[in-house]
């Protein structure tokens, strides 16, 4: 069984530039999560989808972050414009019941 | 609100037993998870407790006391590959079953 796939794995951009991350969850998992993880910290939820509906986006900085999950499968997270403080690892996870399966993450560096 | 506390770092010797504690405060407890995260990698699921007591899975065991807001992860017969961060996470039913992660405990296993 294929795991959660994310791309790109690494991204370096200058501040004020846009960036997008893509996630393909495990087949059949209807719940999809985007997390941000800073060094030495645990993952922080940005948004959670149940199928194509965003059921929790309370932690998403909506002035610059957006996300979509068309057809309830793949998802894209976008930042526009990026700020220095956005440098972090962006993790996508999916679940069917309790445990979450994480993708390898995208390490974003904003210079 | 939610709050999760766990030690920042621990060191133990190969072959020994180590216990990583986690205390939490939440208004709508709906399960506690432990994840393992090696440096530069994604978190992987270790255990899930929703009822009081001990859950054993091979060399790893997890304990929960809901009345005390307390859990621990017990690692037996430590191996060098167990050097990683261990994340305690609590699911809260208020606000739509959000999972909150602690900052993690970095475990160093020495020979």
């Amino acid at each position: 069984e294929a795991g959660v796939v994310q791309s790109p794995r690494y991204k370096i951009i200058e501040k004020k530039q846009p960036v997008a991350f893509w996630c393909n969850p495990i087949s059949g998992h209807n719940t999809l999560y985007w997390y941000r993880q800073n060094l030495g910290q645990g993952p922080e939820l940005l948004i959670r989808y149940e199928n194509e509906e965003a059921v929790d986006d309370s932690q998403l900085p909506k002035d610059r972050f957006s996300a979509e999950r068309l057809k309830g499968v793949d998802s894209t997270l976008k930042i526009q414009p990026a700020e220095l403080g956005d440098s972090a690892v962006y993790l996508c996870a999916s679940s069917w019941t309790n445990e979450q399966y994480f993708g390898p993450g995208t390490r974003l560096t904003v210079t | 609100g939610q709050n999760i506390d766990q030690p920042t770092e621990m060191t133990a010797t190969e072959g020994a037993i180590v216990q990583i504690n986690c205390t939490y405060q939440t208004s709508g407890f709906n399960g506690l998870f432990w994840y393992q995260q090696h440096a530069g990698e994604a978190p992987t699921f270790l255990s899930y407790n929703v009822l009081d007591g001990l859950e054993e899975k091979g060399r790893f065991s997890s304990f929960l006391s809901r009345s005390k807001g307390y859990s621990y992860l017990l690692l037996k017969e430590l191996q060098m590959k167990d050097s990683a961060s261990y994340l305690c996470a609590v699911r809260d039913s208020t606000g739509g079953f959000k999972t909150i992660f602690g900052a993690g405990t970095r475990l160093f296993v020495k020979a």
Side-chain angles (χ1 to χ4, degrees):
Chain A
E1 177 183 276
V4 176
V5 180
Q6 289 188 247
S7 68
R9 292 293 312 277
Y10 304 91
K11 189 73 176 179
I12 301 174
I13 60 171
E14 294 183 346
K15 62 181 181 182
K16 300 184 181 179
Q17 294 302 306
V19 64
F21 314 124
W22 175 81
C23 173
N24 179 242
I26 292 173
S27 178
H29 285 192
N30 58 345
T31 307
L32 184 146
Y33 314 76
W34 281 104
Y35 290 91
R36 175 169 59 190
Q37 186 174 26
N38 291 303
L39 192 62
Q41 298 297 314
E44 174 192 1
L45 181 70
L46 293 174
I47 189 167
R48 174 167 66 97
Y49 284 92
E50 294 289 346
N51 298 305
E52 62 269 18
E53 181 183 0
V55 297
D56 184 354
D57 62 357
S58 57
Q59 304 275 70
L60 191 72
K62 298 181 183 61
D63 57 334
R64 298 183 300 107
F65 286 63
S66 64
E68 61 182 10
R69 190 184 184 197
L70 299 176
K71 301 181 181 179
V73 182
D74 294 3
S75 177
T76 302
L77 177 70
K78 297 179 181 177
I79 308 175
Q80 182 172 13
E83 298 179 352
L84 294 176
D86 296 331
S87 294
V89 176
Y90 290 82
L91 294 164
C92 178
S94 69
S95 68
W96 172 243
T97 55
N98 294 313
E99 62 188 90
Q100 296 179 34
Y101 294 82
F102 285 82
T106 298
R107 182 175 296 276
L108 174 67
T109 302
V110 183
T111 63
Chain B
Q2 304 95 356
N3 190 43
I4 299 174
D5 287 312
Q6 48 183 133
T8 303
E9 288 185 359
M10 299 182 70
T11 300
T13 305
E14 192 176 18
I17 299 173
V18 70
Q19 178 175 311
I20 302 174
N21 296 324
C22 171
T23 58
Y24 64 88
Q25 294 175 312
T26 185
S27 49
F29 179 81
N30 192 258
L32 186 141
F33 302 82
W34 284 96
Y35 285 82
Q36 179 191 60
Q37 186 174 27
H38 284 98
E41 297 182 11
T44 55
F45 172 81
L46 289 177
S47 67
Y48 169 64
N49 295 68
V50 66
L51 299 176
D52 291 350
L54 187 68
E55 295 279 343
E56 297 186 79
K57 190 186 296 185
R59 294 190 298 114
F60 293 8
S61 302
S62 57
F63 172 83
L64 174 67
S65 169
R66 289 171 295 170
S67 62
K68 295 182 180 178
Y70 169 69
S71 172
Y72 66 73
L73 180 69
L74 193 70
L75 291 75
K76 304 176 184 177
E77 302 170 14
L78 278 174
Q79 301 175 10
M80 300 298 286
K81 68 178 182 179
D82 297 330
S83 294
S85 285
Y86 292 86
L87 301 165
C88 174
V90 174
R91 185 165 60 193
D92 192 327
S93 61
T94 57
F97 296 95
K98 180 178 298 186
T99 301
I100 307 297
F101 284 81
T105 297
R106 291 182 65 188
L107 175 66
F108 298 93
V109 180
K110 60 182 181 179

